[in-house]
Every structure is written in structure tokens, then in C-alpha cells.
């Protein structure tokens, strides 16, 4: 699949998709509390997305059965919401969500603390979020993908954590996953040169322990192999001549 360069009209549609997704994440972040089920989070997320006339990107995507990926503690990504999975004080909960607005996708993830969490868990969440911002310092037309990937990995490892290798970010537009792949770790090659009009979903997934992961029997949920905590932070961004624009933040 070729990398697509978005027109001004397409960028406007993706801005609106991103704005609605940002609102969805804000509302879910406010709502999460001990005693909720992961199903409750998914149900609320879908309600918010549809209230803006959008479609959840993830629902039935390649068979995924929910609108919001809800991953708890050692679950890295793609946790399937369940009425029996109850959120408890001290958990960390990663929410990955996408919306489709007039045919265009936005994709973003956040990790939330449930009540009081350990200092290490808080640091993991903070480092994961900041690693995204360290990476996008290099998101500018003329730079290479390698520079984003290297900066993310360097920051994460300098803080004593590890970057998941088996999952990467991606291009995004009329399809949820488009070219190019965007690793969160340095590659031997520089990767493609960034061009104005590219839209990318950059999403560091960071483990407190080793970077190895496993897939659960449901064939969706990804967990840390050593059962350490994991955090996730993602935004959809636009590459510009001067730098970048984050589309999934208000």
C-alpha cells in the first residue's frame, strides 16, 4: 500500500475526526473509577462516538468485537471489554479508540490511573506519554521515520523501561491502517523521508519490564511476557513543512 498525501479537504475531515476522538478520550478519562467493568467503558465510549455522528473504527475491524480496546495492568493492547472484568483501585487502564468521520479515521490511546497507583506505575505512564513527544520533535517534512523511532526508544530506555517490538504505529486516513509502519524503536535503515500531508498514528507501547509480549487465547489481547505493567500513548498527527500538528488533541 502506497503512502497517501492528504489534500486540504481531507486534512479538515481528519481534524474533525481527531477532535471528536479527543473528546471521547477526555470523557472516558473522567468516567473511569473502581467498580466499573471494562464493558461499561466500551459501552460509554461507543455512545459518545455515535453521539457525534461518527462510527467506531475498531468495532468489527478484522473481527474485533468492541468499540474501545480496554487493556488493564499487564495487558499491552487490544484487551476485549468484558462485563466480568472489573476495574479496581490501583489499576492502570489503557484505552485505545478510533473514530470514522465522513470516511476518515483518527486513532489515539491513553493510559489512566484508577485511584491511587504506585510510584512506578505513575512513572511508567508519564514516561510513555513523554516518549511520544520526544519522538515527534523529529516529525517534520524532510526528516526520516528513523529519527522519530530512535528518539522514542532512547527516551524510554534512558528511563529504565522497554519499548514493545512486536507492535508498531502506522499511517492512517481512509483506512485505519495505512503505510508506512512507524516503529517505536530504531531500525537499521533510515526509513522513508517524511512529506507534508502525511498522517501518522504514532503510539509508543512501553513495558516496565522486558519488551517481549504474548498473545492470549482470545487471539486479540496482548500481554507482557513477564507480567510487568504496560502503558500506551498514541495520537494521530499531520506532517507539515514546519513540523507537525496533533490531530487527536483539542
Amino acid at each position: 500500500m502506497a503512502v497517501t498525501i492528504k489534500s486540504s479537504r481531507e486534512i479538515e475531515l481528519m481534524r474533525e475526526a481527531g477532535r471528536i476522538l479527543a473528546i471521547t478520550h477526555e470523557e472516558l478519562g473522567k468516567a473511569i473509577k473502581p467498580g466499573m467493568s471494562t464493558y461499561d467503558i466500551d459501552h460509554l465510549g461507543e455512545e459518545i462516538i455515535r453521539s457525534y455522528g461518527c462510527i467506531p473504527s475498531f468495532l468489527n475491524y478484522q473481527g474485533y468485537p468492541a468499540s474501545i480496546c480496554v487493556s488493564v495492568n499487564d495487558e499491552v493492547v487490544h484487551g476485549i471489554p468484558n462485563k466480568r472484568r472489573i476495574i479496581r483501585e490501583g489499576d492502570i487502564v489503557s484505552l485505545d479508540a478510533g473514530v470514522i468521520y465522513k470516511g476518515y479515521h483518527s486513532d489515539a490511546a491513553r493510559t489512566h490511573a484508577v485511584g491511587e497507583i504506585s510510584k512506578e506505575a505513575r512513572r511508567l505512564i508519564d514516561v510513555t506519554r513523554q516518549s511520544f513527544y520526544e519522538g515527534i520533535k523529529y516529525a517534520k517534512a524532510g526528516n526520516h521515520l528513523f529519527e522519530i523511532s530512535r528518539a522514542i526508544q532512547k527516551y524510554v530506555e534512558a528511563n529504565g523501561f522497554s519499548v514493545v517490538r512486536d507492535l508498531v504505529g502506522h499511517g492512517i486516513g481512509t483506512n485505519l491502517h495505512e503505510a508506512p509502519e512507524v516503529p517505536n524503536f530504531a531500525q537499521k535503515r533510515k526509513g522513508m523521508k517524511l512529506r507534508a500531508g502525511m498522517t501518522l498514528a504514532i503510539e509508543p507501547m512501553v513495558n516496565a519490564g522486558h519488551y517481549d509480549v504474548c498473545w492470549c487465547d482470545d487471539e486479540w489481547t496482548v500481554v507482557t511476557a513477564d507480567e510487568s505493567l504496560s502503558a500506551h500513548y498514541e495520537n494521530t498527527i499531520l506532517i507539515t513543512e514546519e513540523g507537525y500538528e496533533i490531530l487527536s488533541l483539542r
Side-chain angles (χ1 to χ4, degrees):
M1 184 186 294
V3 174
T4 59
I5 302 299
K6 308 305 188 295
S7 67
S8 296
R9 175 184 171 276
E10 289 177 308
I11 290 166
E12 282 304 317
L13 293 173
M14 291 189 70
R15 278 197 186 104
E16 183 60 10
R19 185 185 75 85
I20 293 164
L21 182 54
I23 292 169
T24 302
H25 271 297
E26 287 170 12
E27 293 303 314
L28 289 174
K30 293 174 188 174
I32 289 179
K33 62 181 185 296
M36 289 183 83
S37 71
T38 56
Y39 172 86
D40 293 334
I41 297 169
D42 175 62
H43 182 70
L44 176 59
E46 182 172 351
E47 279 190 340
I48 296 167
I49 290 168
R50 293 195 186 279
S51 75
Y52 285 91
C54 293
I55 299 167
S57 296
F58 297 173
L59 185 59
N60 300 318
Y61 180 75
Q62 296 184 352
Y64 185 76
S67 299
I68 313 293
C69 297
V70 187
S71 307
V72 183
N73 294 333
D74 66 332
E75 295 171 350
V76 181
V77 284
H78 305 158
I80 298 175
N82 189 311
K83 290 181 179 179
R84 296 184 299 277
R85 186 71 187 276
I86 305 301
I87 303 299
R88 305 190 186 283
E89 178 89 13
D91 286 343
I92 65 170
V93 181
S94 297
L95 305 182
D96 192 0
V99 306
I100 308 170
Y101 174 76
K102 296 186 178 180
Y104 285 82
H105 292 262
S106 189
D107 189 3
R110 309 280 186 263
T111 299
H112 299 279
V114 182
E116 291 295 320
I117 62 172
S118 69
K119 287 183 179 179
E120 183 74 348
R122 168 51 61 192
R123 199 169 72 84
L124 175 66
I125 292 172
D126 291 345
V127 167
T128 302
R129 180 180 183 278
Q130 187 58 34
S131 74
F132 165 86
Y133 287 98
E134 295 299 319
I136 64 171
K137 289 177 181 177
Y138 300 91
K140 178 182 178 180
N143 286 353
H144 289 84
L145 273 178
F146 172 89
E147 295 171 82
I148 296 174
S149 304
R150 178 179 58 185
I152 291 171
Q153 180 183 11
K154 183 178 179 180
Y155 182 79
V156 168
E157 292 180 353
N159 281 278
F161 299 131
S162 62
V163 176
V164 172
R165 303 292 203 275
D166 291 343
L167 300 148
V168 297
H170 51 90
I172 186 170
T174 54
N175 294 295
L176 177 58
H177 292 103
E178 297 183 353
E181 289 190 342
V182 185
N184 300 301
F185 50 93
Q187 307 285 286
K188 290 183 179 179
R189 297 179 179 179
K190 286 186 177 181
M192 69 168 47
K193 187 174 285 190
L194 301 174
R195 295 169 56 195
M198 284 182 175
T199 44
L200 306 173
I202 297 177
E203 51 177 322
M205 288 155 273
V206 177
N207 296 345
H210 197 271
Y211 59 71
D212 281 347
V213 298
C214 304
W215 269 254
C216 294
D217 290 342
D218 63 20
E219 298 183 353
W220 279 105
T221 308
V222 180
V223 297
T224 57
D226 59 7
E227 301 183 350
S228 62
L229 294 177
S230 188
H232 188 192
Y233 188 82
E234 174 185 21
N235 281 304
T236 298
I237 73 164
L238 167 69
I239 301 296
T240 68
E241 292 291 355
E242 296 77 25
Y244 61 84
E245 178 184 343
I246 301 176
L247 302 179
S248 52
L249 283 178
R250 286 207 289 176

